[in-house]
Amino acid sequence: MARLAQTAGLTDVQEEILATVRTFVDKEIIPHAQTLEHGDTYPADIVDGMKEMGLFGLTIPEEYGGLGESLLTYALVVEQIARGWMSVSGVINTHFIVAHMLKQHGTPEQKEKYLPRMAAGEVRGSFSMSEPELGSDVAAIRTRAVKGSGGYTINGQKMWLTNGGTSNLTAVLVKTDEGAEKAHQNLTTFLVEKPEGYGEVLPGLSIPGKIDKMGYKGVDTTEMVFDGFEIAADQILGGVSGQGFRHMMDGVEVGRVNVAARACGIAIRAFELAIEYSQQRRTFGKAIAEHQAIAFKLAEMATKVEAAHLMMVNAARLKDSGQRNDVEAGMAKLIASEYCAEVTQESFRIHGGYGYSKEYEIERLMREAPFLLIGEGTSEIQKTIISRGLLRDYRSRG
Ligand SMILES: Cc1cc2nc3c(=O)[nH]c(=O)nc-3n(C[C@H](O)[C@H](O)[C@H](O)COP(=O)(O)OP(=O)(O)OC[C@H]3O[C@@H](n4cnc5c(N)ncnc54)[C@H](O)[C@@H]3O)c2cc1C
C-alpha cells in the first residue's frame, strides 16, 4: 500500500533487507514503542532482534564479519526503523558512525580488533564531540589529552553522548598539543574502551546518569567526565594525533544522511497516521479528509515526505559513489528535518484534541521531531556548510 518514499534501482538484496526490516518494525517495534517510550525503557528485546538480523554489522565489510552494505542501504533501514520509533535508530546510529570511522581511518590492528566484534554487536559504539560549552563550534573543544611517558592523560567533560551508558567503545574528540596554528588541527580522536554502565566505570572515567530528555527516550544520552584518565597512545584512531577533526567530520557527514533518514521515517509515520485518522474522523456529516482544507494538508505533507526522501537517497548515493557529499548531505539533513517538523505538526493538528493525548502516537512524534533540527549540526550549521560549498563551486570570476 505504501506509495510514498519508494526508491528506484535497488538490488534484490537491498529489497530483501528492507522487507525484513519493515516487517520487524511493524511487528516488533510499533506495537511496543509508546509503552517503552513513556516508561523511558531501554528496548533490550528489540536490540537483540536487530543483532540477530545482523543490523549492527550492516555496513561493516564482509571480511570483518559484516554484511558489507552501502550507506544507502543503511539509510533506508534507518528510515524504516525511525518510522517505528526513533530511539531504536539512535541505538545503532552512533555504532554505525564509529564503525565507519574505524573502517575509513583505523589502523589495520584497530580494524581487526574492533570491527568483527562490532559486526556481532558485542562491541557497541558511541561518539563524543560535544561539551557543556560547545556543540556547533567543534574546534573550541577543551577536554585535553596530555602526552606522558606511558601514554596520554585525559581531563575534561563531554556532554550529550547518545548511548553513553550502553556502549563499550567511545570515539572521543579531544585537544592535543600539536603546536598547529589552526585550532582544529590540534584535535585527536581516542578510542576509549569502557564497561557499560554508570558511575566511575574506570579509574578517572565517569558516566553520570542519563540526561532526562523531552523525547528520544529509552535510548540513553549522558555526560562523560575524565579526571586523570590514562590511555595508551595506540588507542588514537589511525595511530596519528592531530587528525581527529577530519575523522569526526567524515563521521558526521554519514551521520547527517542518517539523521535525514530518521526525519524521513518520522514524517512518513506522521503522514500515515494523519491519512488514516482523517478518513475515520467525521465532522459536519463527512470524513474530515473530505474537507478540502484537510485534503490539501495531506497533499502537502506527502509532497514533503517525497521530496525529503529523494534528497536523502541522493546524498547517500553520492557518498557511496566515493564523491564528497558535504553540500548534499547538508541539504538533505536541512530539508528532511525541517519538513519532518512541519509534517508532524500538521498531523498533530489533523488529530484535533486526540493528538494531545498520550494514547496517540502523534504526541511522541511531536516530541521526537525537534531533536532532528539540532542533532548532527543545527539547521543554521547546515546552511553554513551548504553556502560555503556553493561559494567554493560557484566562485565569481569577476
Ligand atoms: C538528544 C541529543 C543527543 C545528542 N547526541 C550527541 C552525541 O552522541 N555526540 C555528540 O558529540 N553530540 C551529541 N549531541 C549534541 C549536538 O550535536 C549539539 O547539541 C548540537 O551540535 C548543537 O550544539 P549546542 O547544543 O552546543 O548548540 P550551540 O552550538 O550552542 O548553538 C545554539 C544556537 O546557536 C546557533 N548557532 C551556533 N553557531 C552559529 C553560527 N555560526 N551561525 C548561526 N547560528 C549559530 C545554533 O544553530 C543554535 O540555534 C546531542 C544532542 C542532543 C540534544
Side-chain angles (χ1 to χ4, degrees):
M1 82 105 185
R3 171 177 186 145
L4 293 180
Q6 300 298 303
T7 313
L10 296 182
T11 63
D12 291 347
V13 174
Q14 287 174 314
E15 295 282 12
E16 201 179 310
I17 292 172
L18 287 175
T20 308
V21 172
R22 194 179 167 93
T23 306
F24 180 78
V25 169
D26 286 338
K27 286 194 177 152
E28 309 295 336
I29 300 186
I30 290 179
H32 308 292
Q34 284 298 93
T35 311
L36 290 169
E37 208 262 357
H38 289 159
D40 200 3
T41 310
Y42 189 76
D45 291 344
I46 294 173
V47 171
D48 285 346
M50 293 199 300
K51 268 188 206 169
E52 268 170 41
M53 283 191 288
L55 293 189
F56 283 92
L58 191 61
T59 56
I60 293 176
E62 284 169 303
E63 59 182 303
Y64 297 109
L67 298 177
E69 275 296 325
S70 60
L71 175 60
L72 176 62
T73 313
Y74 180 76
L76 295 174
V77 164
V78 164
E79 184 181 54
Q80 288 298 331
I81 292 175
R83 180 183 147 263
W85 182 18
M86 184 178 83
S87 296
V88 178
S89 66
V91 172
I92 51 170
N93 176 43
T94 60
H95 178 85
F96 157 76
I97 292 178
V98 176
H100 174 83
M101 287 165 61
L102 271 163
K103 185 175 75 175
Q104 296 299 118
H105 309 289
T107 63
E109 295 75 25
Q110 288 169 345
K111 291 182 197 183
E112 205 56 60
K113 185 174 175 191
Y114 294 117
L115 288 177
R117 287 189 293 142
M118 289 187 88
E122 285 163 26
V123 169
R124 301 260 306 279
S126 56
F127 87 101
S128 171
M129 294 195 294
S130 305
E131 297 187 356
E133 301 196 17
L134 65 99
S136 308
D137 190 6
V138 177
I141 275 177
R142 294 176 177 188
T143 299
R144 182 182 282 272
V146 176
K147 198 172 181 179
S149 52
Y152 285 79
T153 305
I154 306 182
N155 282 293
Q157 188 177 349
K158 306 302 274 184
M159 184 75 187
W160 297 119
L161 273 88
T162 300
N163 300 307
T166 47
S167 59
N168 43 16
L169 179 68
T170 308
V172 188
L173 191 63
V174 302
K175 199 169 176 177
T176 42
D177 298 312
E178 311 298 327
E181 204 179 301
K182 295 191 173 152
H184 72 273
Q185 292 169 344
N186 293 307
L187 298 176
T188 298
T189 307
F190 279 89
L191 299 166
V192 175
E193 275 188 61
K194 64 174 189 65
E196 292 178 31
Y198 302 93
E200 192 171 17
V201 290
L202 286 174
L205 176 61
S206 301
I207 307 287
K210 289 159 56 166
I211 298 169
D212 196 10
K213 299 166 294 193
M214 71 183 263
Y216 200 27
K217 289 176 184 280
V219 61
D220 52 293
T221 305
T222 71
E223 296 169 46
M224 189 179 215
V225 182
F226 294 95
D227 183 11
F229 178 70
E230 290 182 8
I231 187 162
D234 60 9
Q235 290 302 103
I236 291 176
L237 179 65
V240 183
S241 63
Q243 303 294 313
F245 188 79
R246 191 170 62 83
H247 297 154
M248 286 281 174
M249 289 306 117
D250 184 32
V252 294
E253 216 163 278
V254 291
R256 277 173 193 148
V257 174
N258 170 281
V259 172
R262 282 197 226 184
C264 290
I266 292 176
I268 291 168
R269 187 66 187 153
F271 170 79
E272 286 173 352
L273 295 172
I275 199 159
E276 174 63 26
Y277 186 83
S278 63
Q279 293 171 85
Q280 303 297 333
R281 183 71 175 173
R282 297 179 70 80
T283 66
F284 302 95
K286 53 185 173 183
I288 59 170
E290 290 173 35
H291 298 302
Q292 194 182 51
I294 301 294
F296 277 17
K297 275 188 198 291
L298 294 172
E300 283 175 17
M301 290 159 77
T303 306
K304 287 175 181 171
V305 164
E306 198 64 2
H309 175 82
L310 291 173
M311 288 188 72
M312 179 273 286
V313 167
N314 179 54
R317 283 198 159 131
L318 206 62
K319 187 81 176 177
D320 283 333
S321 72
Q323 295 180 62
R324 188 164 181 195
N325 80 339
D326 55 342
V327 170
E328 290 73 13
M331 286 176 168
K333 200 264 168 184
L334 174 66
I335 204 129
S337 59
E338 294 287 349
Y339 277 179
C340 173
E342 291 170 22
V343 169
T344 311
Q345 171 83 234
E346 289 295 51
S347 180
F348 167 74
R349 289 174 190 235
I350 287 173
H351 280 76
Y354 290 101
Y356 214 67
S357 159
K358 282 193 162 185
E359 274 183 40
Y360 285 71
E361 247 179 281
I362 189 62
E363 70 81 25
R364 172 169 55 79
L365 306 187
M366 280 288 286
R367 289 181 287 106
E368 289 173 346
F371 168 59
L372 301 168
L373 301 166
I374 307 290
E376 307 284 353
T378 64
S379 290
E380 290 72 30
I381 295 303
Q382 303 313 317
K383 288 179 196 172
T384 308
I385 293 166
I386 296 164
S387 54
R388 258 192 220 141
L390 294 173
L391 289 165
R392 189 177 64 220
D393 290 349
Y394 289 82
R395 193 176 296 282
S396 167
R397 292 171 202 280

